[in-house]
Amino acid sequence: MLLHAPRDIEAAVAAAECVVRTHERLVEILRPGLRLSEIDSHVARTLDDLKCASAFIGYRVRGHPPYPSHACLSVNACIVHGTHTMPQPPLAPGDLLSVDIGVRHRGFIGDAAWTYAIGGREPLAESLMDCGKESLRRGVAAMQPGRPLLDWARTVQTFVEREKGFHLVRGLGGHGYGRSLHAPPFIANSVPSYPGEWPDAGRRFEPGMLLAVEPMIAVGTTEIRSEGDQWPIYTADGSLSVHYEADVLITPDGPRNLTEAMFGLPDVVGN
Ligand code: MF3
Ligand code: CO
């Protein structure tokens, strides 16, 4: 689906703004000692306030129970899809919490994630977070109309792996969205290593495309691990991870990051 009608563009912009507002309100309360259930309730109240519905709760994917939380809350080695029902002690100083918020608002989706250090961070966590944010910045700048989707992956991967020595986890990526949370194309974060690994790699960025792009980066591995039918996805080696996701509208003049204001969020909260 390509977005051209001004009224639809406005709705997509408004939905993305709701996601940013929800993050902004959340960082006010994040601190050591909070439980994931309290964080999820806070997200639920904010969404209500902003006249949004969670795009995640109840979400169904074959092989999993319906998604149980309003937001994805992923701590440390949990990369994405953490839930408030997974075994996880209350937030402790130095934890890295990735919060992914998906909303439905005026018929459109907003879907963006950011990572927060709780109460302070080690130098390694700071480098990993800086790497994540910069990879998103550079990757979004590469989303130029007429260029192949591969340009996103090449830019992000070169920076994260070659320049910084961290790892993009394989098998997960970004996606088109709009009136539904997930739509084609899939947006891989790394260049395919064999033909056919990413069929859409040669497809081109096109004005009107609405894309959620999301580097997921681990300190020690490209491999992921999960348990049975459970939602949370972890780094295979238990190393620290971050997740930064933006909503991008491709315009004739270049990429427009609808969640650009996320870059103004604090890295360290509750200190
Ligand atoms: N941003 C994630 C994604 O696009 C969030 C999905 S959570 C789910 O895949 F609950 F909806 F699965
Ligand atoms: Co997403």
Side-chain angles (χ1 to χ4, degrees):
M1 166 202 172
L2 293 178
L3 204 64
H4 289 297
R7 178 195 158 87
D8 288 347
I9 293 175
E10 275 166 38
V13 167
E17 272 169 7
C18 289
V19 173
V20 176
R21 293 288 98 80
T22 306
H23 277 273
E24 287 172 346
R25 290 207 199 168
L26 189 60
V27 298
E28 298 301 322
I29 68 130
L30 289 178
R31 55 172 169 76
L34 268 190
R35 295 170 188 285
L36 298 189
S37 56
E38 297 173 290
I39 299 170
D40 199 59
S41 301
H42 188 274
V43 169
R45 284 195 298 275
T46 305
L47 295 185
D48 223 42
D49 229 41
L50 299 174
K51 300 186 164 50
C52 293
S54 167
F56 296 166
I57 197 165
Y59 192 81
R60 287 179 167 278
V61 170
R62 153 178 70 77
H64 294 281
Y67 192 75
S69 302
H70 293 85
C72 296
L73 304 170
S74 309
V75 184
N76 297 334
C78 184
I79 310 161
V80 290
H81 300 175
T83 69
H84 77 276
T85 55
M86 67 188 181
Q88 173 68 42
L91 292 179
D95 277 348
L96 290 192
L97 171 70
S98 298
V99 180
D100 192 346
I101 295 182
V103 308
R104 190 176 302 282
H105 179 74
R106 290 168 54 183
F108 272 84
I109 294 292
D111 173 18
W114 214 250
T115 298
Y116 306 104
I118 307 300
R121 58 184 174 176
E122 304 275 333
L124 178 63
E126 180 174 354
S127 313
L128 187 64
M129 293 171 75
D130 287 348
C131 172
K133 289 189 294 176
E134 183 62 17
S135 73
L136 183 62
R137 239 188 233 109
R138 292 186 184 204
V140 169
M143 298 168 72
Q144 297 295 333
R147 299 294 307 171
L149 304 188
L150 190 62
D151 279 21
W152 154 269
R154 194 188 292 111
T155 302
V156 168
Q157 188 178 14
T158 301
F159 179 70
V160 171
E161 299 189 343
R162 224 176 294 166
E163 223 169 293
K164 296 294 166 187
F166 291 127
H167 304 273
L168 288 152
V169 303
R170 303 302 197 266
L172 302 170
H175 50 93
Y177 77 94
R179 292 184 179 279
S180 63
L181 176 59
H182 293 129
F186 176 73
I187 316 266
N189 293 328
S190 58
V191 172
S193 49
Y194 57 89
E197 183 184 358
W198 181 17
D200 276 336
R203 191 165 158 191
R204 279 156 205 285
F205 291 109
E206 204 180 327
M209 277 181 167
L210 206 45
L211 305 168
V213 289
E214 42 185 323
M216 289 156 266
I217 305 171
V219 167
T221 183
T222 59
E223 302 304 309
I224 58 177
R225 170 176 72 74
S226 56
E227 274 162 36
D229 65 350
Q230 296 305 295
W231 278 95
I233 297 176
Y234 301 89
T235 57
D237 64 353
S239 66
L240 216 48
S241 65
V242 294
H243 179 208
Y244 292 90
E245 178 181 27
D247 293 339
V248 178
L249 174 66
I250 308 302
T251 81
D253 306 321
R256 176 175 173 197
N257 184 348
L258 306 184
T259 50
E260 179 73 28
M262 307 266 286
F263 284 101
L265 289 163
D267 292 310
V268 181
V269 294
N271 52 335

